[in-house]
Amino acid sequence: MQTIPPTLAPSLAAVDFDGATGLLHGASVVEDVRTLGDLAGVFEAESARAALDPSTVAYRVQCYFPVADGTEGGLFFGCTFLEPGDVGGEYFMTKGHFHAKRDTAEFYWGIRGEGLLLLMNEDRTIRAERIQPGSLHYIPGRVAHRMVNTGTETLTFGACWPSDAGHDYATIRDEGFSARVFKGPDGPEIRRRD
Ligand code: M6P
Ligand code: ZN
């Protein structure tokens, strides 16, 4: 009888879900760091952001791109590590984006920490889902998505999206989300910004 010896995945060797760090290990992992200096115009209190140390890390994204960007039918995989903190009371958050190819969807899931996932339709109607370890979030096509860390530890979440989705950051840069999340006296407050 012929048998087939299994091998480890050749390029992404492992994701640390056991230790719950979510860290990706492997030769082909690409890491992107976003500092407060990179996030000009993202927070409402832009002058407060500009006054903070621009080298402060807001989040890191580790990605595994098994196929070239733009490939139809492929998938990308990532883990994001969003630090706790705020700018003028507004919690640290990702830039947020629509997909350039509007109809493409994405999964997010919580690994560590807690926060809110803002989901905004093209007509600017918005909702928020609580993210926590083990929560799974399906983001349909045509929905902008932004993660907000409302906790006191690093918010770690996984993501999987089509390799031809692309990122449209310009729409969010120009029009923003229709709600922002601030520290309130009784916890996070999602305030409308229509
Ligand atoms: C997830 C995915 C990535 C995205 C990252 C950070 O890992 O959605 O595509 O780049 O979050 O979010 P953003 O690009 O909006 O800053
Ligand atoms: Zn996306």
Side-chain angles (χ1 to χ4, degrees):
M1 187 180 59
Q2 272 196 332
T3 61
I4 301 170
T7 63
L8 276 177
S11 35
L12 181 70
V15 185
D16 176 25
F17 290 132
D18 291 343
T21 67
L23 284 165
L24 307 190
H25 301 286
S28 54
V29 175
V30 176
E31 183 164 315
D32 209 8
V33 178
R34 298 253 161 84
T35 64
L36 288 181
D38 297 324
L39 299 178
V42 169
F43 295 92
E44 192 164 71
E46 171 57 18
S47 54
R49 184 208 61 84
L52 295 169
D53 181 350
S55 68
T56 303
V57 173
Y59 58 101
R60 295 184 295 126
V61 187
Q62 289 190 321
C63 289
Y64 172 44
F65 304 122
V67 293
D69 194 15
T71 303
E72 275 186 37
L75 292 171
F76 288 158
F77 186 93
C79 280
T80 301
F81 306 85
L82 176 58
E83 299 306 325
D86 70 278
V87 175
E90 187 176 12
Y91 293 105
F92 279 10
M93 58 192 174
T94 59
K95 284 170 71 172
H97 58 271
F98 283 101
H99 288 161
K101 192 171 181 179
R102 276 292 194 276
D103 265 336
T104 53
E106 183 163 2
F107 272 119
Y108 276 3
W109 58 94
I111 297 171
R112 192 180 249 189
E114 59 182 271
L116 291 171
L117 171 59
L118 293 179
L119 297 164
M120 183 178 73
N121 298 315
E122 288 174 303
D123 65 4
R124 299 184 59 76
T125 52
I126 196 162
R127 65 186 194 280
E129 293 179 358
R130 278 203 193 91
I131 183 163
Q132 59 197 41
S135 63
L136 181 63
H137 309 265
Y138 179 69
I139 303 162
R142 304 194 167 276
V143 174
H145 33 292
R146 164 178 279 169
M147 196 64 86
V148 183
N149 187 348
T150 58
T152 53
E153 62 174 315
T154 305
L155 172 60
T156 303
F157 66 93
C160 186
W161 67 102
S163 46
D164 58 345
H167 294 83
D168 167 14
Y169 292 110
T171 303
I172 299 304
R173 184 193 62 222
D174 297 345
E175 299 169 13
F177 274 70
S178 52
R180 292 179 172 276
V181 188
F182 292 88
K183 275 186 185 178
D186 304 315
E189 286 176 6
I190 306 170
R191 299 186 192 156
R192 290 204 166 277
R193 294 290 186 266
D194 291 319

